[in-house]
Amino acid sequence: MASKGSSLLPSHLVKLLDADGYHKARANNNHYYYISRVTMRHTNWLKIFCFFSFVAILAWGCFFQGLPVYPGLYFGCSSAAWRKAVLQSATRQEGGQMTVLVTGAAGFVGSHVSLALKSRGDGVVGLDNFNDYYPVALKRARAANLQKAGIFIVEADLNDQVVLSKLFSLVRFTHVLHLAAQAGVRYAVKNPLAYVHSNVGGFVTLLEQCKTSNPQPAIVYASSSSVYGLNSKVPFSEDDRTDHPASLYAATKKADEVLAHTYNHIYGLSITALRFFTVYGPWGRPDMAYFSFTRNIVEGQPIKIFQGPHGEELARDFTFIDDIVKGCVASLDTALPSTGSDGKKRKKAQFRIFNLGNTQPVKVGDFVSILEKHLKKKAKRNVIPMPATGDVMFTHANVTKAQVALGYNPMTDLDTGLGLFVKWYKSYYKHGGDNEDMLKGYKPY
């Protein structure tokens, strides 16, 4: 390597260096450095070698030694560390009666129910693929809460048969709470195959695993109020027709109910479907209206309020997360054992469908007024026609069946529930805090 300042080398030597396979790089104090291009190529190859060596070592640690790639999350379902983490998480504590696999455990409902089960002593193992439909950082934060409670989350796609097989061979799950899904009505218009992959393909993969397990676990899974589609009879009851969905999301959830009935009938799986009605609350989903409205009001941005073709307001049966959790836990507690073994049905198995709602629909305009009260700030309302993406004008749950069978009794009114959500939102996304920019650049579909 040679160097020169403005007068250290004669001009003819500088020209030779410039022309003879050397690269000129400027340093401080108006000095230049001449570096052999051969040396540069060797250095670049060394950098590439070091990079791939690092990747190889990381992969070896993650996949074969079970080193955590994120707190509480491991790759490498063959490693001793992975097996130990799963078994520890699945171990029941004093008072625990069940060992539950919770799919979608880092999701909104999944994280809340997992914590509720673990707090009473049940063994809980989570599974989640941490997709990026909304900011993954929020899912990681929920996962960190579960880790603190001793809940291990397997990071894998539900369609991964190898991972599911290893999980079920390692743990004798008594129950499966299936909450993993591609959520959102409007996004389905943009990416329909994601819904088929997750909501239909993933569910079938799980059912296939459960049918061959011995013993077979009882299954409780999330359906949706969206299956009622274009139904005009209110309130919605479980016996109403659900064969006219208004969105692709709803169609996949209806497909799940049909598939569930088939596996119940043929293989003796005990299955309970829960039709959730617009769940909201702390740690919720940023794509939901209550969340995005809160964010926009805080940031001084306008909110879009949809209305029907004749100027009518949308209405939703908003259900607070704590009430949904109670319904999920009660469904697990009352689920009868499956009746098959080795993939064969021995006798008729339990099959149930329940609405889980609040039973008190609220117009979106009134809902925004409640938010304004708790945020102490007026919203900039932009009323527009409802787009043709599959949303329905209203939802209203009849929960009589859940009341009788589960003791389900929603206790949280919208004013109280939104107050709790706003309190969490202001704390979690407070100005100057670590999470302030977590939603930066995110726009719900």
Side-chain angles (χ1 to χ4, degrees):
M1 180 176 70
S3 67
K4 84 171 187 67
S6 57
S7 60
L8 292 179
L9 293 174
S11 58
H12 70 278
L13 185 54
V14 172
K15 291 180 180 179
L16 286 174
L17 286 170
D18 285 338
D20 197 26
Y22 284 83
H23 172 74
K24 182 170 72 174
R26 184 168 183 170
N28 295 329
N29 301 322
N30 202 31
H31 281 72
Y32 294 93
Y33 292 86
Y34 285 84
I35 307 172
S36 167
R37 287 190 171 87
V38 174
T39 301
M40 287 180 63
R41 285 196 295 271
H42 291 167
T43 303
N44 289 336
W45 278 112
L46 181 60
K47 290 178 180 178
I48 293 171
F49 174 78
C50 291
F51 171 77
F52 281 105
S53 296
F54 170 77
V55 171
I57 292 171
L58 181 63
W60 175 79
C62 293
F63 285 89
F64 296 103
Q65 299 302 312
L67 299 179
V69 295
Y70 191 86
L73 304 171
Y74 292 73
F75 283 127
C77 59
S78 297
S79 71
W82 185 89
R83 293 193 296 271
K84 180 180 178 181
V86 170
L87 290 172
Q88 285 180 340
S89 188
T91 301
R92 303 176 194 174
Q93 304 301 317
E94 184 178 355
Q97 301 294 318
M98 299 183 291
T99 304
V100 188
L101 173 65
V102 180
T103 70
F108 174 32
V109 178
S111 60
H112 279 274
V113 181
S114 295
L115 289 170
L117 292 171
K118 196 68 173 180
S119 69
R120 68 178 198 171
D122 293 317
V124 180
V125 177
L127 186 145
D128 206 295
N129 70 352
F130 291 86
N131 73 22
D132 60 357
Y133 168 64
Y134 60 80
V136 178
L138 182 59
K139 299 180 182 183
R140 297 293 185 190
R142 297 189 195 119
N145 291 338
L146 268 58
Q147 182 202 4
K148 292 175 184 175
I151 299 171
F152 175 70
I153 297 181
V154 177
E155 184 166 357
D157 191 283
L158 191 58
N159 286 283
D160 192 331
Q161 298 176 353
V162 174
V163 172
L164 279 182
S165 177
K166 287 186 178 295
L167 270 176
F168 277 80
S169 66
L170 193 60
V171 179
R172 291 168 64 91
F173 292 109
T174 60
H175 297 73
V176 171
L177 179 61
H178 174 50
L179 301 173
Q182 177 57 60
V185 171
R186 288 181 290 278
Y187 181 57
V189 175
K190 181 177 181 179
N191 191 4
L193 293 181
Y195 289 77
V196 176
H197 174 81
S198 295
N199 300 1
V200 180
F203 191 40
V204 171
T205 303
L206 180 64
L207 291 171
E208 281 290 303
Q209 179 61 56
C210 291
K211 85 174 189 187
T212 57
S213 297
N214 196 6
Q216 294 174 334
I219 301 170
V220 176
Y221 75 97
S223 182
S224 169
S225 63
S226 67
V227 299
Y228 291 109
L230 302 177
N231 198 337
S232 59
K233 171 187 166 294
V234 290
F236 299 153
S237 300
E238 291 89 343
D239 296 328
D240 291 343
R241 290 180 60 182
T242 55
D243 57 356
H244 41 246
S247 67
L248 189 140
Y249 170 74
T252 62
K253 285 299 186 178
K254 176 59 180 177
D256 285 349
E257 292 189 357
V258 175
L259 288 164
H261 184 273
T262 303
Y263 276 79
N264 165 266
H265 174 69
I266 297 176
Y267 301 110
L269 287 172
S270 169
I271 301 181
T272 301
L274 302 178
R275 293 173 177 169
F276 295 158
F277 282 71
T278 315
V279 189
Y280 73 100
W283 295 97
R285 281 172 31 204
D287 66 309
M288 297 290 284
Y290 70 92
F291 202 119
S292 62
F293 282 6
T294 298
R295 178 189 174 194
N296 286 352
I297 294 172
V298 169
E299 296 177 357
Q301 299 297 317
I303 63 173
K304 295 178 181 179
I305 299 178
F306 299 145
Q307 65 178 13
H310 304 292
E312 61 269 44
E313 283 194 77
L314 275 69
R316 291 289 182 268
D317 196 343
F318 295 98
T319 314
F320 191 62
I321 182 62
D322 289 2
D323 293 321
I324 291 293
V325 169
K326 291 175 184 177
C328 290
V329 173
S331 297
L332 290 167
D333 286 341
T334 57
L336 298 178
S338 293
T339 61
S341 62
D342 299 322
K344 296 180 180 179
K345 178 181 176 181
R346 304 302 178 188
K347 60 181 179 178
K348 186 176 181 179
Q350 183 184 55
F351 184 81
R352 306 180 295 174
I353 298 177
F354 296 116
N355 288 337
L356 294 186
N358 191 54
T359 75
Q360 297 178 1
V362 176
K363 292 182 178 179
V364 173
D366 297 333
F367 154 78
V368 173
S369 296
I370 297 173
L371 268 181
E372 290 175 328
K373 182 185 76 171
H374 289 293
L375 291 168
K376 297 180 173 60
K377 189 174 182 179
K378 284 292 183 180
K380 298 177 181 178
R381 305 187 187 206
N382 184 13
V383 181
I384 61 174
M386 184 169 67
T389 52
D391 274 317
V392 295
M393 287 302 302
F394 55 86
T395 59
H396 184 184
N398 180 338
V399 298
T400 302
K401 284 191 174 182
Q403 287 174 332
V404 173
L406 308 177
Y408 177 74
N409 184 27
M411 301 292 292
T412 312
D413 61 80
L414 187 59
D415 185 34
T416 301
L418 283 179
L420 292 170
F421 170 73
V422 168
K423 182 180 179 181
W424 170 82
Y425 183 94
K426 286 184 173 180
S427 173
Y428 191 74
Y429 294 106
K430 64 183 177 182
H431 180 67
D434 294 338
N435 304 312
E436 181 183 9
D437 296 328
M438 184 184 289
L439 298 173
K440 189 174 182 180
Y442 169 70
K443 292 182 179 180
Y445 292 94

